[in-house]
Amino acid sequence: MQRREFFKKAALTAGAVGLGITTSEAGETHQPIDNRKVSKHTFPEKRPLITYSDRPPLLETPRDVFTSVLTPNDQFFVRWHMPDIPTHIDPDTYTVKINGLVDQELNISLNDLKTKFEQVEVTAVLQCGGNSRSAFTPIAGGIQWGNGAMGCATWKGVRLSDILAKAGLKKDAEWIGFNGSEKVAYYETPNFIRELEISELDDHVILAYEMNGEDLPYLNGYPLRLVIPGNYSDSWVKMLSNITVTNKYRSLFFMDVAYRVPDNDCECEDPEKRVKKTKPITKMNVKSIIGYPTTGTELNNKSHVVVRGLAWDDGHGIQDVMISTDNGKTWDKALLDDGKLGRYAYRAFRFAYKPNTYGEVTIMSKAINKLGDEQPLAKDIKWNHGGYKFNGVDEVKVKIV
Ligand SMILES: Nc1nc2c(c(=O)[nH]1)N[C@H]1C(S)=C(S)[C@@H](COP(=O)(O)O)O[C@H]1N2
Ligand SMILES: [Mo]
């Protein structure tokens, strides 16, 4: 009897589960697309990942990887803007150049970085500002990422502030530009350059050459990348070639056009009426993901299920993760791990769930940080044209049999 009810219900909802976008009405927002399969083709140093494009490589990490606090390098997502990434980098001759408003121009080799500066480590979440973009309707510009345009790693390298101190900043130094090594394919394509105001930088910002105890994978920015804990990764420039100090903000495509949200309290706008005044996306908002079980998992009614996942914010720290198994009517606290990897890392959560029903069950997770910020329900997330910063309550749909 219960089983028959389930199959009836499943038939009604099957078409809608995971398809998202096509079934919703304009202006409504909901869950990101969550049913894409990994590709059979792999990239160097990578296991099969959800593949949006081969050139440039755009690879997403599948949901079931998000049960462990550190994301394995070979399953770490990949995002490049330009198709033409250098195919050969010689670690013995590679240097990063520091120029502009400095007392002494520097060309620092990898060996110098590893031996002439204090070595530091930070575990931090790297998340694209467009992660989960496919939740927005109408479709927001950019890659229609599901939930996996993110990962967390222990980054090892040298403090940017130590390098700038060595070069010596001139009095009027205010902005720092970071260039990647890739070349543009068309004249009208801008170089990938990001700029940061010197006042935004603190000691946590590093130039990293190591990720989870290994050289950076080629696709994640070998041999050197910028790491800005707590900030969206769109400024974590990979394959760094140049750091240029200036006294004024240079107007650049990736600063002025991309990676911005409306400059109002809700950071939102009407799709029909774009807000003109915008601001760059910087700090990450509070968010969580359920790594187990995933949508479509069949669980026996007799089983003791341990729901597992991860929560994070911009470094204020996670206070609680709440779980609901009754469509948000009631919420219970999950158990959090000890948080020993620091405030910029994922916090793992676990929740004991004993199904007492049959059929489809929606499991939801909602993180709350130490400021009291909590994830809104996905349906309450407001639209912005770039599809940035989606942090709706996460959900998976399982079948209890
Ligand atoms: N040189 C360079 N750095 C870059 C980019 C790029 O296109 N070129 N993309 C940025 C964006 S938008 C993101 S989300 C992250 C992705 O980092 P990953 O590929 O290591 O996951 O790198 C950032 N750094
Ligand atoms: Mo990104």
Side-chain angles (χ1 to χ4, degrees), residues 79 81 128-130 233-234 259:
R79 199 272 186 261
H81 291 81
C128 177
S233 56
D234 315 286
Y259 304 112

Side-chain angles (χ1 to χ4, degrees), residues 129-134 136 140-141 260 383-390:
N131 189 26
S132 312
R133 181 181 285 125
S134 58
F136 288 95
R260 299 180 76 90
W383 196 85
N384 69 79
H385 66 269
Y388 293 121
K389 299 180 79 167
F390 176 89

Side-chain angles (χ1 to χ4, degrees), residues 164-309:
L164 294 178
K166 174 108 198 276
L169 291 178
K170 294 241 198 269
K171 260 216 195 76
D172 49 346
E174 255 179 67
W175 288 87
I176 314 181
F178 301 88
N179 288 45
S181 306
E182 70 267 37
K183 298 275 176 302
V184 300
Y186 309 101
Y187 289 114
E188 61 270 28
T189 321
N191 274 305
F192 192 80
I193 304 176
R194 297 287 285 169
E195 286 189 304
L196 294 176
E197 209 163 350
I198 288 180
S199 57
E200 285 177 71
L201 301 175
D202 59 29
D203 279 356
H204 298 288
V205 178
I206 67 172
L207 302 187
Y209 53 80
E210 225 178 79
M211 179 172 168
N212 293 330
E214 293 168 5
D215 285 348
L216 291 175
Y218 173 69
L219 291 173
N220 297 107
Y222 182 82
L224 193 67
R225 83 176 304 166
L226 188 60
V227 167
I228 314 172
N231 281 32
Y232 287 103
S233 56
D234 315 286
S235 304
W236 298 31
V237 177
K238 301 192 279 191
M239 226 173 249
L240 264 179
S241 67
N242 231 79
I243 300 178
T244 306
V245 182
T246 60
N247 59 358
K248 57 172 190 286
Y249 175 75
R250 294 175 295 168
S251 213
L252 301 161
F253 173 82
F254 285 107
M255 294 302 296
D256 281 359
V257 181
Y259 304 112
R260 299 180 76 90
V261 286
D263 189 4
N264 53 26
D265 285 348
C266 66
E267 300 182 341
C268 69
E269 61 202 318
D270 186 325
E272 309 293 321
K273 225 173 101 201
R274 289 261 300 255
V275 170
K276 286 210 183 69
K277 197 159 175 258
T278 59
K279 61 185 174 193
I281 58 167
T282 51
K283 301 272 170 214
M284 293 192 283
N285 51 23
V286 64
K287 196 166 172 182
S288 64
I289 186 165
I290 298 167
Y292 179 85
T294 54
T295 289
T297 304
E298 284 195 5
L299 299 166
N300 194 287
N301 174 266
K302 297 282 180 301
S303 38
H304 295 252
V305 181
V306 182
V307 177
R308 291 185 291 150

